[in-house]
Amino acid sequence: MITLKNIVLRRSAKVLLDSATVTINPSEKVGLVGRNGAGKSTLFGLLNGSLQEDAGECHIPAQWRMGQVAQDMPETDQSATEFVIEGDTVLRDARAEVAAAEASGDGDRMGHAYMALYDAGEHDAPARAQSLILGLGFKTTELDNPVNSFSGGWRMRLQLARALMCPSDLLLLDEPTNHLDLDALVWLEAWLKRYEGTMLVISHDREFLDAVTNVTLHIDAAKLVRYGGNYSKFEDMRAEQMELQQNAFAKQQDKIAHLQKFIARFKAKASKAKQAQSRVKALDRMEKIAPLLADADFSFEFKEPANLPNPMLSMQGVSFGYPPVADAPEGTPPTVIVQNVSRSVLAGQRIGILGANGQGKSTVVKTIARDLEVLAGEITEGKGLNIGYFAQQELDVLKPADTPLQHMIDLVKKLTTQGKLAGQATREQDLRSYLGQFNFSGDMFKQAVGSMSGGEKARLVLCMIVWQRPNLLLLDEPTNHLDLATREALSMALNEFEGTVMLVSHDRALLRAVCDEFWMVSRGGIAPFDGDLDDYQRYLLEESKRLRTEAEAASTNAVVVPIKNSVEKNSNNKQAQEKKKPLKKELEKVEPKLAALELERERTLEKLQEPLNPKDIAEISKRLKVIEQELAELEVRWLEINEALESI
C-alpha cells in the first residue's frame, strides 16, 4: 500500500500540503481532485519520484512497477506500433538481455534470456500495442506511420498508449482525456475498468471519474481528505459534511456568545467571580470549529443576442472536406469527408454532434464557421447571423506575448473595422471590468498569455466569444482545459443562452446538460441520432470492436495453394495432422499446469508480503522455489512442443 504520513510539500514559498496523511490500498482506483493550483500534479511528482517531500514520510512498495504518461512531445521516426511496444519496459529489458546473451555466446544465458523474452510477451506484443493504438482512435492504415508524421494531440495519444502498454502495479494518469474524442474516451474507460493495479487519476471530467474510480482524494486547505466512492459520491458526502460543519460552527458560536455574555455581565461581581472565571477557562479549552470557507464559485452568462434569424442557416446538398494541398499536382480532386447534406439549423436548437473519430465532426463545424469552403452545394445564412466559434486549436491562435487586455483591445479594433460592434462598451476601463468577470483580476489582465495555464487561456477565449454577443455558438471540444467549476459555469451559461448551440465534446455531463438533440456524423453523411448518450456509448464500443476485428483479419496473411499441387499438398497436410495429434494432446495437458503454477506463484508471492514469523517465511520460500523450478521445466517443454508443431 501507499502511505503518506505528515507530508509537507512546498512550491516556492507556497505550502501545498501541510502535515497531510493518507493511505491508498492495493488495487484501489483513486480520483485526485481539488481546485486549480491546489497541488494535484505536485503530489504526482512526489509519487513518481521527481519531487521530494519537504517533511514527513512517503512509502511506496519497492517492488511496485510504475506506469505514467510522459509529458514530452515524442520526436522519432519509429513506427507508431514499435514506439508503443517500447513502452513495455519488461519486454524492452528482455530484448536487451537476449541481445547481450547472443553476443556472449553463453548457451545457458541464451536459454534463460529467450524464456524471459517469451514470458515478457514478445509473441503478442504487436497485437497488444495495436489494440491500444486503435482503441485510442487511430486508423488501421496509420499503425506503421512514423510518430513524427502525427500532430501534437495524436502524439500525446501515443504517449498514453505507451503508458498503458507498460506492465504496472501503480498507474498515474494526469488529465488523460484532454486529447481524446468521445469514442476514444469510452474505450479508455473500458480499459481502465479492467486494470488490476492501483491507479491515481487527475481529471476534470466527472463522468469519467465516476466510471473509473472508487475512492476520491480531495486536496482541501493543504490536507488530503479521503472519501470512499467515486466523484458523485464524494460531492454528496462533501455537501453533507459541509452542512454538518456549518451547523456545528453556528451552534458553537451561539455557545461562545452565551459564555462571553455571562463573563462580561458577572466578572466584576465578587459573588459571581468564581463562576465567571470557570467560564473563561471553558472558553479557552473549547476546540474551535472553523467557519466554512467554500471555494469561490465562477459564473458568467451570454448576453442576449441582438437578433435571432430563423433558420440560422440552411444547407442544401453540401459536401464537407478539404481542398487539395498547395503543392498537389494540377487536377488533384479535393478530399471529401461528408457529402450531400441537406439540413437546417433553427433558432434555439441545442445540437450535440456525435460521431466516431475521423468521421468529420470538426470538418463540419469548421465549414459552418467559415474556416473552410464548402466543396459542393450551398450554405445559406440567416440575415444577421453572428457566429461565436470555439475551435480545438483556438488556444494556439492566442498571441503568447500579448496580455488579456491587449487581446480585448485588438478584438474591438477588428470588429470596429468590420462594422460588427453591437453597442458594447469599448473604453479600456470597461474592458478591464469585463475581464474581471472572467476572473482576470488584479494584475492578471496585464500578464502575458504565454505564461498562463491552459484553463486560463480557454477562459480568455470564452471571454472574447461572450463579448461578441453571438446568436450561433459553434463549440468544438471547449472543455479540454477547463476545471470542474468552469465546466459547470459553462454548462449553466449555455442553458441560459437564448441563441443556438452546436456542440462537439467528449464531456458527457456537458452534452447531457446542454443538448436536446443529436446529429450523427457517420460513413460520409449526417443523420439524426435516435437515442441517448448511453446508446451512443454502446454503439462506439461495438464500432471499436469491429475495427479491431478488421485489423486482426487484415494482418493475417492468406496462404495461396497452386491448383496443380493441391493433391500433393492435401496428402502432406494429412500426414502433418497425424504427427501433430500427440503433441497437441501433450500441449493441452501442459498449458493448464502452467496456468495453475503461475497462479500459485502469484498467491505465494502475495503471502510473502504479509507480516509472517520466520518459520512461515522459510516454508513459503521453500515452496516458491519448488514452484519456480517446476515452472521452468514446464516452460522448456512448452517451447519444445511449440517448436516441434511449428516445424511440422
Side-chain angles (χ1 to χ4, degrees):
M1 65 177 66
I2 299 172
T3 55
L4 305 180
K5 187 175 181 182
N6 296 322
I7 290 291
V8 176
L9 272 180
R10 292 186 179 89
R11 187 171 60 194
S12 300
K14 185 179 181 182
V15 178
L16 297 174
L17 291 178
D18 187 10
S19 300
T21 298
V22 76
T23 298
I24 298 170
N25 299 308
S27 299
E28 286 186 328
K29 308 296 185 288
V30 182
L32 182 59
V33 301
R35 59 179 175 75
N36 279 356
K40 300 186 292 293
S41 295
T42 305
L43 179 58
F44 265 29
L46 174 66
L47 295 174
N48 67 25
S50 61
L51 294 175
Q52 291 295 315
E53 62 271 23
D54 294 287
E57 299 174 16
C58 173
H59 171 73
I60 300 175
Q63 72 274 18
W64 276 19
R65 300 163 298 177
M66 188 177 299
Q68 61 180 329
V69 181
Q71 296 303 309
D72 61 302
M73 192 66 67
E75 296 287 347
T76 176
D77 291 327
Q78 278 182 306
S79 72
T81 299
E82 192 56 38
F83 177 75
V84 172
I85 288 174
E86 282 199 354
D88 189 336
T89 53
V90 175
L91 178 59
R92 193 170 64 208
D93 292 344
R95 284 177 169 183
E97 173 58 19
V98 165
E102 288 177 341
S104 72
D106 184 334
D108 285 342
R109 184 179 176 184
M110 287 170 63
H112 288 298
Y114 277 113
M115 284 177 60
L117 186 66
Y118 181 83
D119 288 342
E122 173 72 19
H123 57 291
D124 65 350
R128 287 187 287 124
Q130 290 177 358
S131 175
L132 294 170
I133 296 168
L134 293 172
L136 289 173
F138 290 81
K139 300 185 180 73
T140 53
T141 54
E142 297 173 327
L143 294 170
D144 295 320
N145 288 4
V147 172
N148 284 345
S149 68
F150 296 104
S151 65
W154 288 97
R155 287 192 225 177
M156 291 311 295
R157 291 195 194 202
L158 288 175
Q159 288 284 39
L160 175 57
R162 192 176 165 104
L164 301 182
M165 186 75 180
C166 179
S168 61
D169 304 291
L170 173 61
L171 183 60
L172 303 178
L173 297 175
D174 190 349
E175 293 291 356
T177 67
N178 267 1
H179 300 282
L180 302 184
D181 297 324
L182 185 51
D183 49 334
L185 174 57
V186 170
W187 176 88
L188 179 62
E189 276 183 10
W191 193 95
L192 292 176
K193 285 176 183 177
R194 298 192 300 271
Y195 178 68
E196 295 179 354
T198 304
M199 180 180 73
L200 274 83
V201 58
I202 299 170
S203 177
H204 291 129
D205 186 327
R206 62 172 60 238
E207 290 210 17
F208 176 72
L209 287 172
D210 278 350
V212 302
T213 65
N214 52 26
V215 173
T216 300
L217 203 57
H218 184 213
I219 301 182
D220 182 34
K223 302 293 183 188
L224 288 170
V225 187
R226 179 188 163 101
Y227 294 83
N230 60 19
Y231 186 80
S232 292
K233 187 74 173 173
F234 152 73
E235 279 194 318
D236 292 341
M237 288 189 288
R238 178 156 166 75
E240 186 178 336
Q241 186 184 71
M242 289 166 72
E243 185 179 357
L244 290 172
Q245 182 179 342
Q246 189 62 32
N247 291 340
F249 174 74
K251 285 181 181 178
Q252 189 179 68
Q253 291 302 301
D254 289 342
K255 187 173 183 181
I256 289 171
H258 179 75
L259 289 172
Q260 287 176 333
K261 187 176 179 182
F262 184 92
I263 293 164
R265 185 178 177 188
F266 295 113
K267 66 179 178 180
K269 291 188 177 181
S271 59
K272 295 285 186 179
K274 198 170 183 180
Q275 292 94 322
Q277 191 60 36
S278 69
R279 282 161 175 76
V280 170
K281 290 178 181 177
L283 203 56
D284 290 339
R285 286 195 303 269
M286 188 181 294
E287 187 176 338
K288 303 297 189 295
I289 297 171
L292 185 63
L293 299 174
D295 293 337
D297 291 329
F298 168 66
S299 63
F300 69 96
E301 62 181 8
F302 289 93
K303 296 177 183 177
E304 182 182 353
N307 63 333
L308 286 173
N310 196 20
M312 288 279 175
L313 56 90
S314 178
M315 296 175 277
Q316 292 295 326
V318 176
S319 291
F320 303 84
Y322 296 86
V325 293
D327 57 352
E330 190 175 346
T332 302
T335 303
V336 178
I337 298 175
V338 181
Q339 58 188 338
N340 198 28
V341 176
S342 296
R343 301 192 68 81
S344 293
V345 178
L346 306 178
Q349 276 189 294
R350 301 281 195 276
I351 302 167
I353 302 178
L354 307 176
N357 177 65
Q359 295 296 314
K361 302 185 297 294
S362 293
T363 307
V364 169
V365 172
K366 284 179 183 177
T367 306
I368 294 173
R370 312 181 189 114
D371 275 12
L372 291 173
E373 296 287 337
V374 296
L375 300 181
E378 184 180 6
I379 296 180
T380 305
E381 296 183 352
K383 186 177 180 181
L385 180 68
N386 185 11
I387 294 174
Y389 177 39
F390 190 112
Q392 281 198 59
Q393 70 277 13
E394 191 68 37
L395 272 60
D396 300 331
V397 177
L398 296 173
K399 300 169 187 171
D402 286 357
T403 65
L405 181 59
Q406 188 59 52
H407 277 85
M408 289 300 301
I409 291 171
D410 290 346
L411 179 63
V412 169
K413 290 178 181 176
K414 175 184 171 184
L415 294 181
T416 301
T417 303
Q418 296 173 350
K420 291 184 178 179
L421 281 177
Q424 296 97 320
T426 57
R427 293 181 308 151
E428 184 174 314
Q429 185 55 48
D430 295 326
L431 296 177
R432 288 186 183 188
S433 299
Y434 175 71
L435 285 165
Q437 296 173 26
F438 285 81
N439 283 0
F440 292 103
S441 53
D443 290 334
M444 277 195 74
F445 69 85
K446 297 186 292 185
Q447 182 182 338
V449 166
S451 65
M452 292 181 173
S453 69
E456 288 164 341
K457 291 176 185 176
R459 207 162 65 236
L460 176 58
V461 172
L462 281 173
C463 170
M464 294 167 69
I465 290 173
V466 171
W467 192 84
Q468 296 174 64
R469 295 182 66 180
N471 47 33
L472 171 60
L473 285 172
L474 301 175
L475 305 176
D476 192 356
E477 297 293 357
T479 64
N480 270 353
H481 299 277
L482 301 182
D483 61 21
L484 281 160
T486 311
R487 290 183 186 209
E488 189 68 29
L490 175 61
S491 175
M492 292 177 66
L494 289 174
N495 274 317
E496 294 172 5
F497 177 57
E498 295 183 14
T500 298
V501 178
M502 298 182 75
L503 173 63
V504 177
S505 180
H506 66 255
D507 187 327
R508 286 154 297 177
L510 184 67
L511 286 168
R512 289 184 206 276
V514 172
C515 300
D516 300 323
E517 60 184 293
F518 295 106
W519 288 4
M520 169 77 91
V521 182
S522 176
R523 300 180 187 181
I526 297 178
F529 180 76
D530 297 324
D532 58 19
L533 285 178
D534 294 329
D535 296 323
Y536 181 61
Q537 283 183 218
R538 283 190 286 272
Y539 161 80
L540 287 175
L541 289 172
E542 289 168 6
E543 189 73 3
S544 176
K545 185 178 178 182
R546 182 183 67 79
L547 289 173
R548 286 200 301 276
T549 304
E550 285 180 3
E552 288 167 6
S555 65
T556 304
N557 294 322
V559 179
V560 180
V561 180
I563 295 173
K564 63 180 181 179
N565 293 332
S566 60
V567 176
E568 182 183 345
K569 296 266 182 191
N570 285 338
S571 175
N572 289 340
N573 282 340
K574 286 181 182 178
Q575 292 176 18
Q577 293 304 322
E578 288 300 317
K579 289 181 182 178
K580 283 182 178 181
K581 277 184 181 178
L583 290 169
K584 284 184 174 179
K585 282 185 179 178
E586 186 178 357
L587 193 63
E588 286 173 1
K589 293 177 181 177
V590 168
E591 286 181 336
K593 286 181 182 177
L594 272 173
L597 283 169
E598 284 282 2
L599 182 61
E600 188 179 356
R601 180 170 67 174
E602 285 178 19
R603 289 176 176 171
T604 306
L605 286 168
E606 286 172 5
K607 283 182 184 176
L608 283 173
Q609 294 176 25
E610 299 171 1
L612 300 166
N613 60 52
K615 185 180 176 183
D616 289 340
I617 291 173
E619 288 180 2
I620 293 171
S621 298
K622 186 178 177 182
R623 177 57 189 157
L624 183 61
K625 189 175 180 181
V626 172
I627 293 168
E628 288 179 340
Q629 186 176 345
E630 290 179 5
L631 264 174
E633 291 171 357
L634 272 177
E635 283 168 347
V636 169
R637 183 56 190 151
W638 188 92
L639 282 170
E640 289 172 350
I641 296 169
N642 276 286
E643 284 172 4
L645 286 168
E646 197 171 313
S647 65
I648 293 169

